[in-house]
Amino acid sequence: MTGRDTAPDAVARLRAAGCVWAEDEAALLEEAAGSPADLEGLVSRRVAGEPLELVLGWVEFLGRRLDVGPGVFVPRRRTELLAREALARVPGRGPGGEPAVVVEMCCGVAPVAASLVPTGAEVHAADLSADALAHARSNAPGAELHRGDLYDALPRRLRGRIDVIAANAPYVPTDRIAAMPPEARVHEPHVSLDGGADGVDVHRRLAAGAVGWLAPGGVLLVETSASQASLTTSAMERAGLVAEVVVDDEIGGCVAVGVSRPAAVTA
C-alpha cells in the first residue's frame, strides 16, 4: 500500500472502539487494503462493530484461511475440535476400495468439510443458506454441496452409507440470543444461532434421523457446550446411539459423539 502512513490512526480508532487487539487488527486490515481509501473503509466497518473476519473476508481455521462474508456464520476456534474428531474417525477405504463417506450438516461455510476433502473421502456438506453454500463451494472444492433442511437435503443414495456426520448446529437457547455480543447477534444469521428453548432442538433432530443414514458403526459428531452436553448425548442415546463427550479445554471445544451399533453378525 502506498500513501501516507495511516496505521497509527487506525490503531487509535480501533482501540477507542473497544478492540482489545487493536494493533494486530490494524495490521491485518492494512494488509487487506489496496489503498489508503480501502483501509479507511475497512477500519470504518470494524469500528462500526462488524466482525473482523467479515471485514477481512477470511477466518483462520486449522491452519488454513476460509472464505467468509456478510450474512454467514463465522467459524469459531472451538469448532476445530469437531473437525479434528471428524478427521480422526474417517475410516480407511472399504474392502472394495470405496472411499469413506462423510457429511458436514449445518455446514455454513464448511470448515469441517474443507478439512476432510484432503483425506480422499467422499465429502458432502449441507445447509439451508445459499449464501453460506457459496462460500462453502470456495472453501471445500471437491465436496458435493446440498441445500435443504438437515437430512432432507441429502441424496437418498447416501442412506445407510455415511461413516461420519459432523454438525455445528445452532445451540444458543432462544432467550439468550439477546445477550450475545453484537458481532454475533447483529451480523450473523439468527437461524445459525437459535437452538430453541434449551438450545438443543436441532441436536435432537440430528440424533433422531442419524441411524437411518449412518453406516453400521458410523458416528454422529455434534458440537455442543459443557452445560448442554448431557442433553445432546441423551438425544443420541434415545435414538439408539452409544454416546460420549469429548472436550478440549484449551479452545473451549465440546463435542458429543454418538456411534451407531455395528451390524449383527449372523452365523
Side-chain angles (χ1 to χ4, degrees):
M1 196 177 79
T2 60
R4 66 183 178 87
D5 182 8
T6 56
D9 176 62
V11 171
R13 291 172 62 195
L14 292 167
R15 187 178 292 121
C19 298
V20 176
W21 309 107
E23 292 84 356
D24 294 336
E25 292 196 14
L28 289 169
L29 293 171
E30 189 168 14
E31 176 188 329
S35 68
D38 287 344
L39 180 59
E40 168 61 28
L42 296 177
V43 171
S44 294
R45 289 171 60 190
R46 181 64 181 127
V47 167
E50 192 169 347
L52 176 65
E53 295 83 2
L54 297 184
V55 177
L56 294 172
W58 58 267
V59 61
E60 185 172 342
F61 188 87
L62 281 184
R64 55 167 57 88
R65 287 187 176 185
L66 300 180
D67 182 49
V68 297
V72 304
F73 179 82
V74 177
R76 278 47 162 180
R77 189 178 175 215
R78 60 177 173 265
T79 303
E80 290 182 353
L81 176 62
L82 179 68
R84 294 201 313 265
E85 285 297 311
L87 285 165
R89 294 170 188 271
V90 173
R93 290 181 176 267
E98 65 276 9
V101 178
V102 296
V103 174
E104 182 179 9
M105 283 288 201
C106 308
C107 70
V109 302
V112 177
S115 303
L116 291 167
V117 167
T119 68
E122 179 184 335
V123 181
H124 298 259
D127 200 278
L128 279 169
S129 168
D131 289 338
L133 289 174
H135 292 283
R137 186 169 291 107
S138 172
N139 293 327
E144 190 171 333
L145 305 183
H146 312 282
R147 185 182 179 192
D149 183 26
L150 299 185
Y151 299 104
D152 290 344
L154 300 182
R156 301 297 103 178
R157 60 185 170 82
L158 296 185
R159 283 192 65 86
R161 295 183 50 230
I162 302 174
D163 296 293
V164 178
I165 298 170
N168 179 15
Y171 57 94
V172 180
T174 303
D175 63 3
R176 295 186 189 173
I177 292 176
M180 293 184 72
E183 288 187 351
R185 174 171 42 83
V186 175
H187 294 281
E188 293 181 318
H190 186 88
V191 69
S192 70
L193 304 173
D194 191 350
D198 61 3
V200 296
D201 282 359
V202 184
H203 295 185
R204 294 187 181 95
R205 294 178 59 209
L206 283 165
V211 172
W213 290 89
L214 288 172
V219 61
L220 171 65
L221 305 170
V222 179
E223 180 174 313
T224 187
S225 70
S227 63
Q228 295 162 299
S230 63
L231 297 174
T232 306
T233 54
S234 291
M236 291 177 170
E237 290 165 351
R238 284 195 299 272
L241 303 174
V242 178
E244 63 174 326
V245 177
V246 178
V247 299
D248 183 335
D249 292 329
E250 182 178 348
I251 62 172
C254 183
V255 173
V257 180
V259 181
S260 67
R261 301 179 188 279
V265 177
T266 57

